[in-house]
Structures are given as C-alpha cells and as structure tokens.
Amino acid sequence: MRARVVVLPRPDILDPQGRAVGHALASLGFGGVQGVRVGRVIDVDLDDRLDRALAAAQVDAMARELLANPVIEDFAVEWPAG
Amino acid sequence: MRARVVVLPRPDILDPQGRAVGHALASLGFGGVQGVRVGRVIDVDLDDRLDRALAAAQVDAMARELLANPVIEDFAVEWPAG
C-alpha cells in the first residue's frame, strides 16, 4: 500500500520559495495568481501485509520524526489507492 | 480557488532523495518500507472569478512551463476544495 505525506510550510511561516514561484508565474504572464506555497510530497510504499491501522500510526511517526519539521511545517497523510 | 500541483520523478528515473529517505527510515527502525519517492507540491491560489475550465488550462500550462520538468518528472493537478 502507498501512503502520501504532504508537507507544507505552516500558514504563519514565510515561504520564500512560494513567493519566488509566484513572481516567476507573474513574469511568465499568468494572471489571477493570489498566492503560492511550495512544499514536499513523500510517497512511501509499505508492505501490504502490514495492518492498515498500524501502517497509519507508523507513517504518522515517520512524518513527525523525519519527513516534516513540526516547528515550521504542517503535514497530512493521504492514502491515494483508497 | 486552490489548485495543487504534485510533481514526482518519473518512475524510470532514479530518485536519490527518495533512496536517502528510505535508508534514513530504515535506520530509524521503521520496517516494511518497500520504496520512497520524494517530490514537490505547489499550492496555487487563484482568483475565484476565473472560469474553472480556464483555470484548469492555466494551471496545466504553469506546470508544463515552470513547475515541473517534463523530461524527468510527472505532474498531476488536484483541486482539494472540490
């Protein structure tokens, strides 16, 4: 099974990369862009024999310990294949 | 309205960052991890007055021209708020 961890800068944290992308989009002529935030996505393939609840707890721990920096980032875990 | 562009290395492309994260997870004691891919997520806030079909075409063009490198990356556009 595959878990997707989406990591984004917290809303109250400046996101210079997002600002740079926003400016680049504007200079390419894309109008109507009101804001851009840039983050990371980490797809983790897990052994299908793992219990789903255990896998969810494990991915949550991975995100807290390694994949995201909780001081400046929020994360969400998705299960794209259902 | 918000569009989310998810950019990931193409399946046939080596992903050293994903490999590094996979090794780090293993050394932290997380078992059952069969593979990791690391990519980017770009959330783009667009003027709500834009026509939805036009906005979709615009975000697709943004991804092709700036947000993703189509030689080595795939992208997908999501509309998280529906």
Side-chain angles (χ1 to χ4, degrees):
Chain A
M1 76 196 109
R2 172 168 294 180
R4 168 165 291 178
V5 182
V6 177
V7 181
L8 281 160
R10 293 169 61 114
D12 53 330
I13 296 284
L14 278 177
D15 174 19
Q17 196 178 359
R19 287 180 66 100
V21 171
H23 289 141
L25 289 172
S27 61
L28 285 171
F30 291 108
V33 177
Q34 296 178 327
V36 179
R37 308 287 282 177
V38 175
R40 299 187 301 287
V41 58
I42 304 101
D43 280 355
V44 181
D45 286 325
L46 294 161
D47 191 329
D48 282 325
R49 290 166 299 182
L50 278 179
D51 174 71
R52 174 64 176 269
L54 187 68
Q58 199 177 21
V59 172
D60 197 75
M62 291 175 187
R64 287 178 200 285
E65 291 179 36
L66 182 74
L67 305 177
N69 176 350
V71 178
I72 56 168
E73 293 171 328
D74 287 328
F75 71 88
V77 180
E78 301 169 1
W79 299 87
Chain B
M1 78 195 107
R2 174 169 291 181
R4 169 165 289 177
V5 181
V6 177
V7 180
L8 281 160
R10 293 167 61 112
D12 53 330
I13 296 284
L14 278 178
D15 175 19
Q17 196 178 0
R19 287 180 66 100
V21 170
H23 289 140
L25 288 172
S27 61
L28 286 171
F30 292 107
V33 176
Q34 297 178 326
V36 179
R37 308 286 281 176
V38 175
R40 300 187 301 287
V41 58
I42 304 102
D43 279 355
V44 182
D45 285 325
L46 294 162
D47 191 328
D48 282 326
R49 290 166 299 182
L50 278 179
D51 175 71
R52 175 63 174 269
L54 187 67
Q58 199 176 21
V59 172
D60 197 76
M62 290 175 188
R64 287 178 200 285
E65 291 179 35
L66 182 74
L67 306 177
N69 176 349
V71 176
I72 58 170
E73 293 170 328
D74 288 328
F75 70 89
V77 179
E78 301 169 2
W79 299 87

